[in-house]
Amino acid sequence: MVSLTYTLKVEGNVVDQTDTKNPLHFLYGVGQMIPGFERQLEGLKTGDNYEFSVTAEEGYGNIIPEDIVEIPKETFMEDGKLIPELVLGGIIHMQDNHGNRLRGEVREIKENSVIMDFNHPLADKTLHFTGTIVSVREAEAEEIAHGHVHGEGGHHH
Ligand code: ZN
């Protein structure tokens, strides 16, 4: 079980950040985190600072052209009106034919259709992480079975 702080920068801009009051707690090695992040944390101890970059291949992957799709505009109608989220750059949560939840960004609004991009917003990006290891301890068997952290910063049940 690892607790750490991190600052995630992409192209020089801070995208996500935690501080020592609200560190991130996670189970190491169970696939909760992106592979390149866990791999480069290996061997670090409590109190260590870290700084490394994660390529898109080991991060959120590359942009998949097939995940940019044209959808009929009537899909975005509710009660006979277009939903307010339908603006350029708007984020819309949808479902595919298998019931999977998808997060899409509006790329282009045409007369009768909309171009939606369902790629991860950090796809194709190199991720730059800095932070400090707050604590490391062995995960309890129950945490491993549940796949999440118990206690401080985790689930209470
Ligand atoms: Zn649990």
mmCIF file of all heavy atoms in Angstrom, residues 142 146 148 150 155 157, ligand 1:
data_model
loop_
_atom_site.group_PDB
_atom_site.id
_atom_site.type_symbol
_atom_site.label_atom_id
_atom_site.label_comp_id
_atom_site.label_asym_id
_atom_site.label_seq_id
_atom_site.Cartn_x
_atom_site.Cartn_y
_atom_site.Cartn_z
ATOM 1 N N GLU A 142 -7.127 -8.567 3.088
ATOM 2 C CA GLU A 142 -8.485 -8.133 2.765
ATOM 3 C C GLU A 142 -8.475 -7.005 1.724
ATOM 4 O O GLU A 142 -9.340 -6.938 0.849
ATOM 5 C CB GLU A 142 -9.194 -7.666 4.048
ATOM 6 C CG GLU A 142 -10.693 -7.683 3.922
ATOM 7 C CD GLU A 142 -11.390 -7.130 5.159
ATOM 8 O OE1 GLU A 142 -10.895 -6.154 5.767
ATOM 9 O OE2 GLU A 142 -12.437 -7.669 5.503
ATOM 10 N N HIS A 146 -10.196 -7.128 -1.908
ATOM 11 C CA HIS A 146 -11.177 -6.131 -2.346
ATOM 12 C C HIS A 146 -10.658 -5.273 -3.504
ATOM 13 O O HIS A 146 -11.453 -4.631 -4.192
ATOM 14 C CB HIS A 146 -11.536 -5.195 -1.185
ATOM 15 C CG HIS A 146 -12.357 -5.851 -0.111
ATOM 16 N ND1 HIS A 146 -12.990 -5.134 0.872
ATOM 17 C CD2 HIS A 146 -12.638 -7.150 0.123
ATOM 18 C CE1 HIS A 146 -13.629 -5.979 1.688
ATOM 19 N NE2 HIS A 146 -13.415 -7.203 1.244
ATOM 20 N N HIS A 148 -8.884 -2.540 -3.114
ATOM 21 C CA HIS A 148 -8.780 -1.132 -2.738
ATOM 22 C C HIS A 148 -8.211 -1.002 -1.326
ATOM 23 O O HIS A 148 -8.126 -1.989 -0.586
ATOM 24 C CB HIS A 148 -10.123 -0.412 -2.876
ATOM 25 C CG HIS A 148 -11.232 -1.048 -2.095
ATOM 26 N ND1 HIS A 148 -12.448 -1.353 -2.650
ATOM 27 C CD2 HIS A 148 -11.303 -1.453 -0.805
ATOM 28 C CE1 HIS A 148 -13.223 -1.900 -1.729
ATOM 29 N NE2 HIS A 148 -12.557 -1.983 -0.599
ATOM 30 N N HIS A 150 -7.969 0.156 2.561
ATOM 31 C CA HIS A 150 -8.849 0.367 3.725
ATOM 32 C C HIS A 150 -8.216 1.392 4.670
ATOM 33 O O HIS A 150 -7.015 1.620 4.630
ATOM 34 C CB HIS A 150 -9.056 -0.942 4.492
ATOM 35 C CG HIS A 150 -9.911 -1.924 3.745
ATOM 36 N ND1 HIS A 150 -10.012 -3.235 4.098
ATOM 37 C CD2 HIS A 150 -10.701 -1.766 2.652
ATOM 38 C CE1 HIS A 150 -10.828 -3.866 3.274
ATOM 39 N NE2 HIS A 150 -11.257 -2.994 2.377
ATOM 40 N N HIS A 155 -11.320 2.961 1.833
ATOM 41 C CA HIS A 155 -12.696 2.590 2.165
ATOM 42 C C HIS A 155 -12.819 2.295 3.662
ATOM 43 O O HIS A 155 -11.928 1.691 4.247
ATOM 44 C CB HIS A 155 -13.103 1.324 1.384
ATOM 45 C CG HIS A 155 -13.312 1.587 -0.065
ATOM 46 N ND1 HIS A 155 -14.514 1.398 -0.689
ATOM 47 C CD2 HIS A 155 -12.466 2.057 -1.014
ATOM 48 C CE1 HIS A 155 -14.402 1.723 -1.968
ATOM 49 N NE2 HIS A 155 -13.169 2.121 -2.196
ATOM 50 N N HIS A 157 -15.249 0.195 5.834
ATOM 51 C CA HIS A 157 -16.408 -0.691 5.871
ATOM 52 C C HIS A 157 -16.011 -2.032 6.454
ATOM 53 O O HIS A 157 -14.835 -2.267 6.730
ATOM 54 C CB HIS A 157 -17.016 -0.882 4.489
ATOM 55 C CG HIS A 157 -16.072 -1.544 3.514
ATOM 56 N ND1 HIS A 157 -16.316 -2.752 2.952
ATOM 57 C CD2 HIS A 157 -14.899 -1.123 3.020
ATOM 58 C CE1 HIS A 157 -15.296 -3.063 2.146
ATOM 59 N NE2 HIS A 157 -14.430 -2.097 2.178
HETATM 60 ZN ZN ZN B 1 -12.871 -3.244 1.051
#
